[in-house]
Amino acid sequence: MKLNSVLSIAISLTLLVVLATFSIHTQAVPNNEMLTDMPVVNMHTLTKNERIWLEANQPIRVGVDGYFPPYSYLNDEKKIIGIAMDTLHLIGEKLDIDFVVDKQVSWQQVISNFNAKKTDMVLTMVKTPEREANYIFTTPIVFKSLVIINHKGNRSIDNREDIAGKTIALVKNYHYVSKILTEFPSVIPFYVDTMREALEAVESKQADAAITFFAAANFLQQKYLFTELEFAVFYERNSANDAIAIRHDMPMLASIMQKGLNAISSEEKLAINNKWHASIEIPTNYQQLIELSLISGFLILLLLVWLLQEKRHNKALIIAHNDTEAANQELNKLKDNLESLIFDRTTQLQNSENKYRGLVESLEDEYVFYQHDSQGNIQYVSPSVSHILGYEVADFIGDYRKYLTENHCNLLIPEFVTRSLKGEHIPPFEIEIFDTQGKVHSFEVLERPMYNEQDVCIGCEGIAHDVSALKQHQAKLHQLSHFDDLTGLANRYLFKLSLDQTILTAHALGQPFSLLFLDLTRFKIINDNLGHSAGDKLLQQAAVRLSGLLNNNDIVARFGGDKFCILLPNSNALEAEAKAVELIQIMAQPFEVYEQTFILGCRIGISLFSINGDDGETLLKQADAALYVAKKLPAGFAFCSEEQAKYNQRRLTLEQGLRLALSHSSLAEGFELFPVYQSINQLPETELAGFEALMRWHHPDLGPISPIEFIPIAEETGLIFELSRWMLAKVCHQLKDWHKQEFDFKRVSVNLSALELINVNLAEEIISLIYEAGTEPQWLKMEITETALMAAPEQSIKTLKKLVKAGIQVAIDDFGTGYSSLAYLKSLPATSLKIDQSFIRNLINSPEDQAVVKAVISMSHSLGKKVIAEGVETQHQLDFLTSHHCNLAQGYLFSRPLTAEDCVKKYAVSQPI
């Protein structure tokens, strides 16, 4: 090979490396959203009145969304940081304002506290016409774009119109939700509390896609390594600009905050933007770095090959010199010229070798060049060994083996050297060496034989590339991509890999195995009311218990939220049942979080290979189906069956339909969900004394669905909270309409779910909703079941007292089924007790039921409370109740549940039956 040709190839390869590096750098530049720099006006000093107001009202209470990265979010120390928080701190410094951030940081609670005037302003809120009627807004401080994020395995969304008919993860109460559902009525919303949960829903394929903010999604993908997600398309660009929202009764504060924003310079805004956008860059593409390293290694290998060829050229020149000496006998006249040519060529070879050696010895950070003899003793090592390992060059000359670790890869070195000395071209191999500090370094070695002038192999030369940092990064990436960062358990991806491998083994050996799907009970309630920090600690404790109960061959993974999946290789149904019983027992033991004790418990669904399926997806579906059945069984676990699968398919259909009904009910009047009203009658004259509001649901495909079926589904999925608020708001608006029609409806009862009573702010939220609807509290009565009351009596009594104080009456529903303590009963602020219809049904023929009814009436009257009998259907039942002085009754004898319009028609003029 000619020297010029070699140099040309080397230069071309170098240019390729530079271009590759530029390409990697270019791809790494993220397309982040930027804070558009607003024009900055001259600083306006605060007026005297503004200063007086500020002194009288400090500190200013601020509501902040703690799950809105990178604008405002909780860091690992549970402190709220971000672009918006830095802006707030800067305003405080410039105007000497003392801000206090509210501890409630979920968006729903931020809005609730703002409406209840527990905070003075909200740091980031999109200005809409509806909100502008209730709040005062500054100029925007955050500019955002909405994007659609989908799963890499589901690329059915190429533009915004493709979301039609899809299940889309949406954050509850965010402003853009109603707009999306208006534009795309066929969208099935999957409501979540935070943007992180929205991405988790897409990652786990519970939703087809999520619509959220670009910068926030990018931040969360990098922080929590959502490796299966990708950006699909923009939904809207710069359409969700956030400003500071201030209460309408604080116009002075609005003026002060606007002056604070105007006082921030362009340079200060840019500094804040640069600070936070640096934290959401797309991570380095290590695959490209590896390719770059291989190209660099190939270039160095090419230089080595060039050196070998130059030596061979030298050998050829020596032979040519000998031939020339022989020819000199006949061509004596050419002797001087030939000697001069040989001298010039030798000088060129020496210069080339010196240049190559200078290149090798300039390597410092990653590469070591070496030569050893046929016995493996080092003859030469480049100075870079000192920079990498800390040793002097002299320390490595001779036997370097004393620095090798005991890693099994080092045992293969003699074999590779022997093969190389034989002329075999061996692939790169790995060795491990201690440095002077005792730290282990991994090297990738490329070695080739060396030959003397007689073409005899005299040893080997090679390049050792330090790949320690690369291996550490690979190990870290493996940990992050295969394990759950909260619990340390395997994640969904690793579990599915293990499941596929177990299926292959089971097929080959004819072995069975079991799959357990475990779901924590009552976790969502605690997590929603005590915060995600308490929920995280509960999940960590649960993971420790699960891991401690399983053996080394079993695999447990967190599947997201409070769900875990357990793989029991080579196990049958009896062994799976025994393990399920053990798990239920250990999870029933108390959990300790923040010096509070909680009882969670769990339910387990079990599928068996190959009885319930012979592939991973089928087994997971069947175990998940069995889990729903387990929630209804006292044992707490269930095996999958065909009947269960059908039941769970209907349950899933109802759950999805209920979500869709809730999303549409606010947009289209009378869509599927609707209230009906059953009369409550005064005894003995049977005149109208009020109504009980009852919820009904008409599914477009399945027809009418009984509340007995869909209410438990709403409670299990957490939809009951949204369903209850919808029902209360619907009833309030109906009472307002009736009042305008001058219809005397007396008082209307609305049922409360047992799950709602754990909410310490329940009374405040109900009262706030009533006033927002323009309704009077004395028009309403809240009904709570006796069983729900006894689940948390102290908290329930506190909530009921607040409702009564506001003018709302309280009734205890289904009385006689919950075994109430008389101590609690006498302290209840309830105005009435409702006898459960199970005691009324056989009242005439059952002496026991008669005794219970008479006892309840007598006891209630002695406590100053009225008694309502449910389910009255016959005149004989009515006569018995009247004769024993029951105050009120309701049932089909008086009226079936009616629509609001039919109630007016029937009761506008009260008539006894």
Side-chain angles (χ1 to χ4, degrees), residues 144-184:
K144 313 186 303 298
S145 297
L146 285 174
V147 296
I148 302 174
I149 304 296
N150 67 2
H151 196 283
K152 290 183 178 178
N154 179 19
R155 298 182 175 176
S156 60
I157 298 178
D158 293 321
N159 55 67
R160 67 199 302 269
E161 285 74 25
D162 290 340
I163 68 173
K166 304 287 195 307
T167 299
I168 305 300
L170 301 170
V171 181
K172 290 187 289 189
N173 295 323
Y174 271 19
H175 77 284
Y176 59 81
V177 173
S178 60
K179 181 178 180 180
I180 292 170
L181 296 177
T182 301
E183 291 183 5
F184 297 97

Side-chain angles (χ1 to χ4, degrees), residues 177-359:
V177 173
S178 60
K179 181 178 180 180
I180 292 170
L181 296 177
T182 301
E183 291 183 5
F184 297 97
S186 63
V187 162
I188 301 175
F190 186 92
Y191 290 110
V192 296
D193 292 326
T194 65
M195 285 181 279
R196 176 183 175 183
E197 292 177 0
L199 298 183
E200 287 178 343
V202 180
E203 179 93 346
S204 61
K205 296 185 178 180
Q206 293 177 283
D208 298 310
I211 297 180
T212 182
F213 304 117
F214 180 78
N218 193 17
F219 177 89
L220 292 170
Q221 281 184 263
Q222 307 309 315
K223 180 174 177 61
Y224 297 104
L225 288 176
F226 291 114
T227 57
E228 298 301 312
L229 302 184
E230 66 178 5
F231 165 80
V233 70
F234 278 99
Y235 186 85
E236 285 184 344
R237 294 179 182 266
N238 291 330
S239 62
N241 303 330
D242 281 6
I244 301 174
I246 299 98
R247 286 168 32 190
H248 248 307
D249 58 347
M250 289 187 170
M252 190 73 73
L253 177 58
S255 174
I256 292 171
M257 293 307 299
Q258 185 60 56
K259 288 183 177 181
L261 287 176
N262 293 343
I264 301 176
S265 67
S266 300
E267 293 76 11
E268 289 169 331
K269 293 177 184 176
L270 184 59
I272 292 174
N273 181 63
N274 290 339
K275 171 185 175 182
W276 290 101
H277 278 278
S279 64
I280 57 175
E281 288 187 356
I282 298 174
T284 305
N285 189 325
Y286 291 103
Q287 180 62 34
Q288 293 179 332
L289 289 179
I290 293 171
E291 294 174 355
L292 179 59
S293 299
L294 291 175
I295 293 173
S296 301
F298 177 75
L299 177 58
I300 294 172
L301 176 61
L302 181 62
L303 294 175
L304 286 173
V305 173
W306 173 59
L307 177 61
L308 294 175
Q309 290 177 334
E310 288 296 293
K311 289 187 176 181
R312 289 178 179 174
H313 288 165
N314 191 21
K315 177 181 176 182
L317 287 174
I318 294 173
I319 295 173
H321 176 69
N322 294 334
D323 292 342
T324 302
E325 288 291 327
N328 278 344
Q329 297 175 3
E330 298 177 1
L331 303 171
N332 196 34
K333 294 181 181 179
L334 299 177
K335 179 179 179 180
D336 293 337
N337 292 335
L338 289 175
E339 288 180 352
S340 177
L341 290 173
I342 293 172
F343 176 79
D344 292 340
R345 184 57 174 164
T346 302
T347 301
Q348 293 177 359
L349 289 174
Q350 290 175 344
N351 291 337
S352 298
E353 185 172 353
N354 289 337
K355 290 180 181 179
Y356 174 72
R357 185 174 296 275
L359 174 62

Side-chain angles (χ1 to χ4, degrees), residues 340-470:
S340 177
L341 290 173
I342 293 172
F343 176 79
D344 292 340
R345 184 57 174 164
T346 302
T347 301
Q348 293 177 359
L349 289 174
Q350 290 175 344
N351 291 337
S352 298
E353 185 172 353
N354 289 337
K355 290 180 181 179
Y356 174 72
R357 185 174 296 275
L359 174 62
V360 170
E361 293 184 353
S362 66
L363 300 175
E364 294 185 357
D365 297 328
E366 293 185 19
Y367 296 92
V368 176
F369 177 73
Y370 67 91
Q371 293 176 333
H372 66 73
D373 60 19
S374 58
Q375 304 302 315
N377 297 317
I378 297 295
Q379 304 296 313
Y380 170 81
V381 64
S382 62
S384 56
V385 72
S386 299
H387 296 280
I388 299 174
L389 298 176
Y391 298 107
E392 297 296 331
V393 171
D395 296 334
F396 255 76
I397 299 300
D399 188 6
Y400 70 98
R401 298 175 184 87
K402 56 182 176 289
Y403 305 122
L404 295 175
T405 70
E406 296 182 357
N407 192 303
H408 67 88
C409 67
N410 291 333
L411 301 178
L412 302 176
I413 295 176
E415 177 187 346
F416 289 128
V417 171
T418 301
R419 291 168 58 188
S420 182
L421 290 171
K422 291 180 180 179
E424 181 179 346
H425 287 272
I426 58 175
F429 58 91
E430 186 176 331
I431 67 173
E432 275 193 1
I433 300 178
F434 288 113
D435 64 12
T436 55
Q437 304 299 318
K439 180 181 177 182
V440 176
H441 288 254
S442 296
F443 285 87
E444 188 177 72
V445 177
L446 183 64
E447 189 170 271
R448 292 293 180 262
M450 294 188 303
Y451 299 91
N452 62 10
E453 295 176 354
Q454 287 74 39
D455 206 21
V456 176
C457 182
I458 58 174
C460 295
E461 60 185 356
I463 285 183
H465 179 202
D466 186 2
V467 294
S468 305
L470 180 60

Side-chain angles (χ1 to χ4, degrees), residues 776-822:
E776 297 297 330
Q778 60 268 23
W779 295 351
L780 290 158
K781 178 188 292 185
M782 294 295 155
E783 293 191 6
I784 174 176
T785 64
E786 183 186 14
T787 303
L789 171 68
M790 295 310 299
E794 290 84 0
Q795 177 60 43
S796 299
I797 291 173
K798 290 179 182 179
T799 298
L800 298 182
K801 285 183 176 178
K802 293 178 181 178
L803 293 175
V804 171
K805 185 178 180 181
I808 303 169
Q809 288 191 2
V810 173
I812 306 303
D813 197 8
D814 298 341
F815 190 79
T817 62
Y819 309 103
S820 296
S821 166
L822 290 177

Side-chain angles (χ1 to χ4, degrees), residues 666-678:
S666 62
L667 303 176
E669 186 69 24
F671 183 89
E672 296 189 7
L673 284 170
F674 57 93
V676 293
Y677 303 87
Q678 186 175 35

